[in-house]
Amino acid sequence: MRRPPSNGEAASKGPGGWGLWGVQESRRLCCAGHDRCEQALLQIGINMMALPGGHHLDSVTLPGQRLHLMQVDSVQRWMEDLKLMTECECMCVLQAKPISLEEDAQGDLILAGGPGPGDPLQLLLKRGWVISTELRRIGQKLAQDRWARVHSMSVRLTCHARSMVSEYSAVSRNSSKEMGQALVRKIDASDNIYTTESTTGNLFSLTQEGAPLCRIIAKEGGVVALFKICRQDTFRCLYPQALRTLASICCVEEGVHQLEKVDGVLCLADILTDDSHSEATRAEAAAVVAQVTSPHLPVTQHLSSFMESMEEIVTALVKLCQEASSGEVFLLASAALANITFFDTMACEMLLQLNAIRVLLEACSDKQRVDTPYTRDQIVTILANMSVLEQCASDIIQENGVQLIMGMLSEKPRSGTPAEVAACERVQQKAAVTLARLSRDPDVAREAVRLSCMSRLIELCRSPSERNSSDAVLVACLAALRRLAGVCPEGLQDSDFQQLVQPRLVDSFLLCSNMEESFV
């Protein structure tokens, strides 16, 4: 913005100076004729309109007043000129800020003068005080029916609340990390059973905050400290709690690596095979095995120590399934077996020798042990992986396993929760896969046709609601239906054969995935 000249400068400046707006310009106008005067005034008006803000016509003086204005002091003329040079952005900012300090700014001043970055807890306390103050003031405004500033106050309150949540998350992460490190050191150094019990419980609570904290605990030696508990007879009553915490930590690769380094698999095998341990302790050990052998963790494929103890562990898990007194214990043991069948194919041969098919199928008729789709998901997973063995078919027929598989094709959720619906879809899919694999044996295929498995498979293919519109279930059912049709084609109607069996698999899939709910 141009600097206004002093009074002494106005008359002394030559052409191009501030005097062009003052005395010299008036002399030119007075010496000119009437036409030239009008042209000069017109030109001045055009120049003024070209200045920023020149569109404000109400600020332009009348022609009769212009000559008088040009003869006045140049500072006053400069001030008149400023009316035509208003910067709208500056005006908007100035209008948004009150000149006097009001109550709205008090909270910002409190926070601005608060603690530094090294004292985040004090900042949280002050932020909470500001929020409570804002709430009180909003309540007072509403009680007085003064709505003018409620909106702006609500916006400020929301900003403070969001900032507090963000600051709390940062403090919580740092505090949890430091607490985890302190708890691991305390467990490692403690010989008192009560202190160890309390500390282990607190550590388990921290592991529930997610994988990042589990990685930190694993790197700080949490797995080592917990297995130290599981190797002391004086801490036997703490085994279930320590193993439960280990299962949480081993959901990350760092936990599995630490378990391998401290011979944790051997310790788990000792606990599982020792009948002197309670069922709860062995169930928690089974949970750790299930976590360590999870197919979602690629590092589990390199557990060399597990191969050395696999036969003992599989035998102990089958026994635990057979003797389980509750559905939770059976679920943990069967989940460990299901993961082990993915871990190594030799485990399926071990299960076949241990009569695991009979144990699992008998448990399906016991509602105390098998009462949820999650448990049936583990059972059908084991059966699907074992069905690759030729010897498995005869055991399935002998134990009426085909009828059980037929029932799993009709698995329905009870509560309708997403997790339960997904479990039911997995049960249907794996039941169809098991049936397709077992139908290589003509005896199994004929038994399946006799039990009307083909009718159920056709219903699942044609009715999306029966399979919860799952494409995975559809593909598995089409494959099983084609396998059965190859052995017993007489069980199909012509329309079913032409649409579901004869075309390519992808064509039948596209046909069924686009079908409506009702059929004639």
Side-chain angles (χ1 to χ4, degrees):
M1 185 175 290
R2 292 178 293 178
R3 179 180 61 85
S6 62
N7 293 340
E9 293 176 338
S12 61
K13 291 293 182 181
W18 281 86
L20 290 176
W21 293 98
V23 178
Q24 293 182 12
E25 189 64 33
S26 65
R27 289 175 181 173
R28 293 180 185 177
L29 291 175
C30 292
C31 296
H34 177 75
D35 294 337
R36 298 196 60 181
C37 181
E38 291 296 333
Q39 292 177 1
L41 288 173
L42 180 61
Q43 185 62 41
I44 292 173
I46 293 173
N47 292 338
M48 293 171 69
M49 289 294 292
L51 294 172
H55 58 280
H56 298 285
L57 297 178
D58 56 338
S59 299
V60 181
T61 58
L62 297 175
Q65 298 173 328
R66 290 174 183 164
L67 294 177
H68 174 71
L69 288 176
M70 291 177 182
Q71 294 174 349
V72 298
D73 184 82
S74 58
V75 176
Q76 186 176 354
R77 182 68 187 97
W78 170 75
M79 295 180 66
E80 291 292 333
D81 186 29
L82 287 180
K83 298 179 180 179
L84 308 175
M85 301 178 64
T86 303
E87 297 184 16
C88 298
E89 293 83 357
C90 295
M91 291 302 297
C92 290
V93 174
L94 289 173
Q95 291 172 3
K97 290 182 176 296
I99 296 176
S100 61
L101 181 62
E102 297 186 6
E103 294 181 354
D104 287 348
Q106 292 179 359
D108 294 334
L109 290 178
I110 291 171
L111 293 173
D119 195 3
L121 291 178
Q122 287 295 327
L123 180 60
L124 276 177
L125 290 174
K126 290 197 173 185
R127 183 81 68 178
W129 183 87
V130 170
I131 290 175
S132 63
T133 303
E134 291 285 341
L135 284 172
R136 177 179 56 80
R137 291 176 51 220
I138 290 175
Q140 292 175 351
K141 297 283 186 183
L142 294 176
Q144 298 170 3
D145 201 18
R146 296 166 59 188
W147 294 83
R149 307 197 53 168
V150 170
H151 174 72
S152 60
M153 294 170 65
S154 300
V155 172
R156 290 171 57 83
L157 178 62
T158 303
C159 293
H160 282 303
R162 289 178 177 175
S163 299
M164 187 174 186
V165 171
S166 177
E167 293 162 359
Y168 171 78
S169 299
V171 172
S172 178
R173 283 193 299 268
N174 294 333
S175 301
S176 298
K177 178 180 177 180
E178 296 172 0
M179 188 180 299
Q181 295 170 349
L183 290 175
V184 169
R185 290 194 295 267
K186 192 172 183 179
I187 291 174
D188 196 38
S190 176
D191 291 330
N192 184 283
I193 188 171
Y194 300 107
T195 302
T196 305
E197 180 182 15
S198 174
T199 308
T200 306
N202 293 333
L203 188 63
F204 173 75
S205 299
L206 282 180
T207 61
Q208 304 308 298
E209 294 190 13
L213 195 55
C214 289
R215 292 189 182 94
I216 294 173
I217 294 174
K219 292 178 181 179
E220 292 296 325
V223 175
V224 179
L226 291 169
F227 270 114
K228 179 182 176 181
I229 296 175
C230 295
R231 288 188 170 100
Q232 298 185 46
D233 287 339
T234 54
F235 287 164
R236 273 205 168 204
C237 61
L238 303 182
Y239 283 10
Q241 191 176 62
L243 291 168
R244 192 180 304 116
T245 308
L246 277 169
S248 298
I249 299 175
C250 289
C251 70
V252 296
E253 294 185 14
E254 290 81 358
V256 179
H257 283 305
Q258 292 296 321
L259 180 141
E260 177 79 356
K261 291 180 180 179
V262 298
D263 292 330
V265 174
L266 182 60
C267 180
L268 294 173
D270 291 340
I271 294 175
L272 285 169
T273 55
D274 188 352
D275 292 337
S276 65
H277 287 295
S278 64
E279 183 185 69
T281 299
R282 287 179 287 148
E284 296 297 344
V288 180
V289 173
Q291 193 65 66
V292 169
T293 56
S294 172
H296 302 294
L297 292 175
V299 69
T300 59
Q301 299 299 323
H302 306 288
L303 281 176
S304 57
S305 60
F306 187 84
M307 298 299 299
E308 300 172 2
S309 306
M310 186 170 66
E311 185 174 0
E312 297 177 0
I313 292 176
V314 169
T315 303
L317 291 173
V318 171
K319 182 179 180 181
L320 187 59
C321 286
Q322 188 174 15
E323 299 175 352
S325 61
S326 65
E328 182 180 2
V329 173
F330 186 91
L331 175 61
L332 294 174
S334 60
L337 285 175
N339 287 349
I340 291 174
T341 59
F342 286 108
F343 185 78
D344 191 87
T345 54
M346 188 171 63
C348 296
E349 298 177 359
M350 293 180 183
L351 289 173
L352 198 62
Q353 296 173 359
L354 293 170
N355 295 322
I357 292 178
R358 179 179 57 81
V359 174
L360 295 173
L361 296 181
E362 285 181 354
C364 288
S365 59
D366 184 0
K367 298 299 181 183
Q368 186 175 357
R369 288 185 289 173
V370 181
D371 59 345
T372 65
Y374 308 106
T375 308
R376 282 185 282 273
D377 181 21
Q378 307 306 324
I379 293 174
V380 73
T381 300
I382 298 171
L383 294 178
N385 290 338
M386 291 183 65
S387 60
V388 299
L389 303 175
E390 294 182 359
Q391 310 93 305
C392 181
S394 59
D395 288 1
I396 290 287
I397 294 176
Q398 184 177 356
E399 300 295 336
N400 295 322
V402 179
Q403 186 172 1
L404 174 67
I405 295 172
M406 170 71 178
M408 290 182 174
L409 290 173
S410 302
E411 188 74 27
K412 295 288 185 182
R414 297 178 184 175
S415 63
T417 61
E420 188 171 359
V421 170
C424 291
E425 292 177 10
R426 293 194 299 269
V427 171
Q428 288 181 330
Q429 177 196 4
K430 294 172 184 177
V433 170
T434 305
L435 190 60
R437 292 176 177 176
L438 293 174
S439 295
R440 296 190 307 266
D441 189 315
D443 293 336
V444 175
R446 283 190 287 268
E447 179 68 10
V449 172
R450 186 185 69 83
L451 294 172
S452 302
C453 282
M454 295 180 74
S455 300
R456 178 56 184 165
L457 290 172
I458 292 171
E459 185 180 15
L460 287 168
C461 291
R462 291 190 175 276
S463 179
S465 63
E466 289 295 318
R467 62 175 189 275
N468 195 40
S469 300
S470 171
D471 292 339
V473 176
L474 174 57
V475 172
C477 290
L478 284 171
L481 183 62
R482 290 168 179 241
R483 181 63 62 87
L484 290 176
V487 179
C488 304
E490 63 275 6
L492 285 175
Q493 297 181 3
D494 291 341
S495 60
D496 295 329
F497 181 81
Q498 293 173 2
Q499 294 179 353
L500 305 179
V501 177
Q502 190 175 32
R504 296 181 306 164
L505 181 62
V506 64
D507 294 333
S508 297
F509 170 80
L510 293 174
L511 175 68
C512 295
S513 60
N514 294 324
M515 281 185 173
E516 299 293 335
E517 291 296 321
S518 59
F519 298 92
V520 179

